Amino acid sequence: MFCAKCPRILRSYYIPHRLIHFSLSVFAYSPTRNNWKHMRLRGAFKFRGACNAICSLDDRQAARGVVTHSSGNHAAALALAAKLRGIPAYIVIPKNAPQCKVQNVMRYGGQVIWSEATIQSREQTAAKVLQETGAVLIHPYNDGRIMSGQGTISLELLEQAPHIDTLIVPISGGGLISGVALAAKSINPAIRVLAAEPKGADDASQSKVAGRIVTLPETNTVADGLRASLGELTWPIVRDLVDDIITVDDTEIVEAMRHCYEILKVAVEPSGATGLAAVLSDTFRNNPAWKDCNQIGIILSGGNVDLEVLWNSFRK
């Protein structure tokens, strides 16, 4: 499934990320470990998959444009990738999406079509747009082209830091972690891949335990980018290649986000801070199964923070 052309395609459009190296001792007065961690930074990883998907279209397909449904980051990424190729992008966005992410879509020239907040409404609205426009559907995560594009994170990360023995990756629909796991384990079959998930949207954790896809009737988490359910393409990879899933509550996510701002000087949205929250959690630190995780790479999966909400919280 992994596309060998992805690194070449993507390097034409973005500057490779840099690594920040730090010790857990910067976050605690009595650290349990002094291992170095490696963090991957970007406004959002979604451009990798979106760019690969757009570049995979032939001219006939591209001329019809693309359509997707997304709460924000994939929407903006697809709008930008489509703009770079000069084709229309029809973006179905739920009404409760963060305003900063909606503005990104508009900034990149995406045509916004509103839906209700449920996944059913998103999919039904996208299907209607498909029928009306004849555009090509680019699913936000359940798409091999998307997964392959996201997998370039592993190629880039392990090229710069080949000694990493464990990767911590936020999980939602599974597009990011599927690509990361496929690529990482093709390079180093012994590497561990752990998922980080909010307790208020823990369908992936429940799915791993049940051995089948579990969908939740509703989610409740500050991490708006991690509320999707696993897809039929991502689930088998999560089932077979993700070693475990660590769940964290919103308090831990917000605290990790605060650490990113105050200590690392990095703007990270709640979804993006979930991996760090997992590493700092007692669940991870006190689990003997992970005591030999000595060189850990944490993927920060998004930095699109709704500043209006943040400023309002300061005024309270």
Side-chain angles (χ1 to χ4, degrees), residues 199 245-247 252 278 280-287 290:
K199 289 181 178 178
I245 299 178
I246 303 164
T247 58
E252 293 173 299
L280 295 176
S281 69
D282 290 339
T283 300
F284 178 79
R285 292 188 178 212
N286 298 332
N287 189 335
W290 312 124

Side-chain angles (χ1 to χ4, degrees), residues 176-205:
L176 170 61
I177 200 167
S178 293
V180 165
L182 281 168
K185 297 208 173 192
S186 69
I187 297 170
N188 177 10
I191 198 169
R192 299 179 185 88
V193 178
L194 305 178
E197 184 175 47
K199 289 181 178 178
D202 65 344
D203 61 289
S205 178

Side-chain angles (χ1 to χ4, degrees), residues 36 60 74:
W36 289 97
R60 181 182 56 82
H74 172 73

Side-chain angles (χ1 to χ4, degrees), residues 41-98:
L41 307 179
R42 182 173 174 75
F45 69 91
K46 298 282 191 176
F47 181 73
R48 296 170 179 264
C51 183
N52 186 52
I54 291 291
C55 290
S56 298
L57 300 175
D58 61 36
D59 291 341
R60 181 182 56 82
Q61 292 173 315
R64 303 201 305 266
V66 292
V67 62
T68 194
H69 57 84
S70 167
S71 63
N73 286 341
H74 172 73
L78 194 70
L80 175 57
K83 180 179 181 179
L84 289 172
R85 187 159 179 184
I87 63 176
Y90 307 98
I91 313 295
V92 176
I93 300 180
K95 293 177 181 178
N96 65 343

